[in-house]
Amino acid sequence: MQGIKRKVVYVSLYELIAIGIASVGLAKLAGQELGHASVAAVAASAIAILWNLVYNTLFEYWEARQAVRGRGLMRRIAHALGFELGLVIALVPLFAWWLQVSLWQAFVLDLGLIVFFLIYTFLFNLAFDRIFGLPASALPAS
């Protein structure tokens, strides 16, 4: 599976799983009701979907120009870290506003989610690539 179809399947699966987990995590970590925390999780998901499309397009553009092909451990770690850093920049202010906490408190709250999502992103990408195959940008040159 390649191109836009791959991106739509990837983002849909990733975000559906993430919304469920993030809703529960935000509710517990922020001491909020699940419904209130779920709004933040859905908003975060919408932001993450847009960021995911932009980030993965840029990453694959960069990746296609690399001499070393494939997705080894270091490339997967760099991919996950870059993606999460972009989300932190966007989501900390959102969480501070919606959960009515300071930016620092929102950042500390987000730290738990950052750790979870770093692991989740790495494992999800590994599983996704094994199930659906590598994108064209990571396939060996023929």
Side-chain angles (χ1 to χ4, degrees):
M1 180 178 1
Q2 299 295 329
I4 192 71
K5 182 178 179 183
R6 177 184 176 84
K7 287 176 175 51
V8 169
V9 170
Y10 175 95
V11 170
S12 299
L13 289 173
Y14 184 94
E15 293 303 324
L16 284 173
I17 294 167
I19 287 172
I21 295 169
S23 294
V24 172
L26 285 172
K28 289 183 185 271
L29 292 172
Q32 300 282 331
E33 291 188 18
L34 184 59
H36 188 73
S38 293
V39 172
V42 170
S45 177
I47 292 167
I49 287 169
L50 292 173
W51 175 233
N52 193 309
L53 291 171
V54 169
Y55 181 78
N56 283 318
T57 298
L58 294 172
F59 187 86
E60 289 175 10
Y61 177 82
W62 169 84
E63 182 177 51
R65 284 149 185 75
Q66 301 307 301
V68 176
R69 304 298 255 177
R71 289 192 177 169
L73 181 63
M74 293 309 295
R75 191 167 289 178
R76 288 184 184 280
I77 290 170
H79 180 266
L81 286 172
F83 180 79
E84 291 303 324
L85 179 61
L87 278 182
V88 168
I89 292 167
L91 296 181
V92 167
L94 170 70
F95 292 158
W97 169 72
W98 184 253
L99 301 173
Q100 298 178 346
V101 296
S102 71
L103 286 172
W104 177 251
Q105 289 169 316
F107 177 72
V108 171
L109 172 65
D110 200 31
L111 285 178
L113 293 176
I114 291 167
V115 171
F116 166 75
F117 276 101
L118 281 172
I119 296 165
Y120 172 65
T121 299
F122 177 82
L123 293 174
F124 183 89
N125 283 321
L126 185 62
F128 189 88
D129 287 348
R130 289 200 177 162
I131 293 167
F132 295 102
L134 291 172
S137 63
L139 293 174
S142 48

